[in-house]
């Protein structure tokens, strides 16, 4: 498998986003998300075993560019992911119906939380020093 790129998300971003989510009394989860541009990975049993081995709870195919660019340019980065399917589980594969439900129920709220968190960061943000490797 290709070498992983460290995501190293900013704690400050996580804190602001989690505070907003809790303010809205919404349950959320954190965990390891594997970011890849690999298509049809669901059918590769060896890759799925690898994902289980590293403890990945989800797959993201959209934010790799944000993380690698932020890492290379020392820009704080994070992602508020809206999980729309759980393909590691037999009943978790996205369908047209489940996608429509997630879109209708969560997309506007998800965007609102992201905008609210970024506004708070702009107002209250503080400098946090990160180690350089």
């Amino acid at each position: 498998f290709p070498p992983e790129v460290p995501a190293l998300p900013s704690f400050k971003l996580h804190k602001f986003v989690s505070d907003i989510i809790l303010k809205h009394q919404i349950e959320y989860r954190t965990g390891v998300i594997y970011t890849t541009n690999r298509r049809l990975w669901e059918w590769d049993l060896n890759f799925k075993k690898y994902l289980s081995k590293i403890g990945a709870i989800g797959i993201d195919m959209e934010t790799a560019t944000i993380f690698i660019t932020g890492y290379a340019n020392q820009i704080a980065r994070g992602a508020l992911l809206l999980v729309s399917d759980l393909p590691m589980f037999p009943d978790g594969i996205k369908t047209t119906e489940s996608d429509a439900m997630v879109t209708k129920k969560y997309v506007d709220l998800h965007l609102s939380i992201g905008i609210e968190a970024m506004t708070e960061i702009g107002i209250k943000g503080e400098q946090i020093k990160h180690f350089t490797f």
Side-chain angles (χ1 to χ4, degrees):
F1 300 108
E4 286 85 27
V5 175
L8 303 174
S10 165
F11 174 77
K12 179 173 67 171
L13 293 175
H14 181 106
K15 179 72 175 133
F16 277 98
V17 171
S18 65
D19 285 348
I20 299 298
I21 291 171
L22 293 175
K23 185 177 95 175
H24 285 273
Q25 299 179 347
I26 299 170
E27 179 183 338
Y28 76 100
R29 312 264 163 100
T30 63
V32 175
I33 303 295
Y34 189 94
T35 300
T36 183
N37 64 354
R38 190 171 176 195
R39 293 279 181 209
L40 304 173
W41 62 268
E42 298 93 334
W43 310 111
D44 183 339
L45 296 179
N46 287 330
F47 185 64
K48 287 178 80 170
K49 285 179 189 175
Y50 173 73
L51 293 174
S52 293
K53 179 182 170 187
I54 64 170
I57 62 169
I59 293 285
D60 166 65
M61 298 180 74
E62 290 80 27
T63 59
T65 302
I66 293 169
F67 282 103
I68 190 62
T69 304
Y71 180 76
N73 294 292
Q74 299 179 7
I75 299 168
R77 61 223 162 262
L80 174 59
L81 302 175
L82 176 57
V83 177
S84 60
D85 60 335
L86 299 167
M88 292 288 281
F89 302 96
D91 295 334
I93 295 179
K94 186 187 305 186
T95 64
T96 302
E97 295 80 21
S98 68
D99 186 48
M101 184 280 298
V102 168
T103 299
K104 182 178 180 180
K105 190 172 181 182
Y106 297 108
V107 168
D108 288 343
L109 175 62
H110 190 81
L111 290 171
S112 176
I113 288 169
I115 291 167
E116 193 174 341
M118 296 310 293
T119 301
E120 289 267 332
I121 290 170
I123 294 167
K124 298 178 185 174
E126 66 243 5
Q127 294 297 316
I128 293 182
K129 302 287 184 189
H130 294 280
F131 288 110
T132 303
F133 299 98

